[in-house]
């Protein structure tokens, strides 16, 4: 897929993987419609991408806001006149065992991590169908391959993204719209630091969780963004980001029930 002069919509573009993807596409000559709830981060990404010399628009967006999502395609069309690529990257994290996580927090995460992906896909699919070469890219996670304890909500959302993407790919087979699902491993973004932690989780356990996450999140976002964009160019249906993601994918296939015991020994 040649990204030059194509128009890409990216959610969660204000930092981390979303920013890295945006800059990678800009360097390939692609135009960008960037969306994020963080206006400061969004402005920074927009400025960095525009400096490359491509057309860039910024859109403050709460992906959990149905009306805002529904209005976004028209805003993008006004600036760019077309859409060729939709990258559903925005996401949040929530730590705590199922019984400790409130129903409100569980629903908050699902709205952002899964329902927003569905709504944005529904909103932009007519525009993508009008393109001569289009693709939907949905960010899942390695926790969409395995389900560790303490991640019921997050893992459920990422498995949902994976299932939605895989089924949609079959439905769109034979059209000009492809579907890619991405499973990043440990990428050094702020998602762990910004995660909600259930109130019932003791402070010491919170510190231990954050320390472990910081230890595991090692890949620079720029490297992750490059892997994802190269995978899109090759029209890959699934992209594993990082050697840890490749290992986890293989382990889940070999030990679909007992993989967590193996991973615990690595963590120790």
């Amino acid at each position: 897929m040649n990204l030059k002069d194509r128009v890409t919509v990216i959610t969660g573009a204000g930092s981390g993987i979303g920013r890295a993807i945006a800059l990678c596409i800009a360097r390939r000559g692609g135009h960008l419609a960037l969306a994020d709830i963080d206006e400061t981060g969004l402005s920074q990404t927009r400025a960095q991408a525009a400096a490359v010399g491509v057309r860039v628009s910024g859109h403050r967006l709460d992906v959990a806001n149905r009306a805002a999502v529904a209005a976004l395609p028209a805003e993008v069309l006004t600036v760019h006149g077309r859409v060729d690529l939709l990258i559903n990257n925005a996401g949040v994290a929530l730590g705590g065992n199922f019984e400790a996580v409130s129903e409100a927090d569980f629903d908050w995460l699902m709205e952002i991590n899964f329902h927003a992906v569905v709504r944005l896909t529904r909103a932009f699919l007519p525009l993508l169908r009008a393109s001569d070469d289009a693709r939907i890219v949905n960010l899942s996670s390695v926790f969409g391959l395995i389900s560790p304890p303490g991640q019921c909500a997050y893992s459920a959302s990422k498995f949902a993204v994976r299932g939605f993407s895989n089924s949609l790919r079959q439905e769109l087979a034979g059209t000009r719209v492809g579907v890619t699902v991405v499973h990043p491993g440990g990428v050094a973004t702020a998602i762990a630091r910004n995660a909600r932690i259930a109130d019932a989780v003791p402070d010491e356990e919170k510190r231990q969780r954050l320390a472990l996450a910081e230890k595991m999140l090692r890949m620079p976002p720029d490297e992750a963004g490059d892997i994802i964009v190269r995978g899109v160019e090759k029209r890959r249906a699934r992209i594993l980001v990082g050697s840890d993601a490749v290992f986890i994918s293989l382990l889940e296939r070999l030990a679909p029930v007992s993989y967590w015991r193996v991973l615990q020994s690595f963590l120790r």
Side-chain angles (χ1 to χ4, degrees), residues 1-159:
M1 186 175 186
N2 185 355
L3 300 178
K4 182 176 174 56
D5 292 326
R6 297 280 176 186
V7 175
T8 302
V9 177
I10 307 174
T11 66
S15 63
I17 294 176
R19 174 178 290 177
I21 292 172
L23 297 180
C24 198
I25 291 175
R27 289 192 292 270
R28 285 161 164 79
H31 306 300
L32 299 165
L34 307 176
D36 203 297
I37 196 170
D38 174 12
E39 290 185 275
T40 300
L42 179 61
S43 296
Q44 292 170 350
T45 305
R46 182 180 182 180
Q48 291 177 37
V52 179
V54 297
R55 185 174 63 253
V56 186
S57 61
H59 309 266
R60 186 192 181 280
L61 178 70
D62 177 358
V63 296
N65 184 318
R66 292 172 182 250
V69 168
L72 184 60
E75 294 177 15
V76 174
L77 275 183
T78 299
V79 179
H80 299 280
R82 60 186 286 180
V83 174
D84 304 288
L85 193 63
L86 169 64
I87 301 180
N88 286 308
N89 166 74
V92 293
L94 172 62
N97 293 336
F98 176 70
E99 291 176 295
V101 171
S102 70
E103 182 176 359
D105 279 347
F106 201 109
D107 291 347
W108 164 79
L109 179 138
M110 291 299 292
E111 280 293 313
I112 295 169
N113 286 9
F114 177 59
H115 294 301
V117 171
V118 176
R119 290 177 192 135
L120 282 155
T121 300
R122 191 182 302 279
F124 278 98
L125 189 52
L127 300 183
L128 294 168
R129 280 188 172 278
S131 170
D132 62 344
D133 190 7
R135 184 158 290 268
I136 299 164
V137 181
N138 294 329
L139 273 285
S140 178
S141 165
V142 288
F143 289 171
L145 300 172
I146 62 168
S147 305
Q151 295 290 340
C152 276
Y154 187 77
S155 188
S157 72
K158 294 305 183 179
F159 266 86

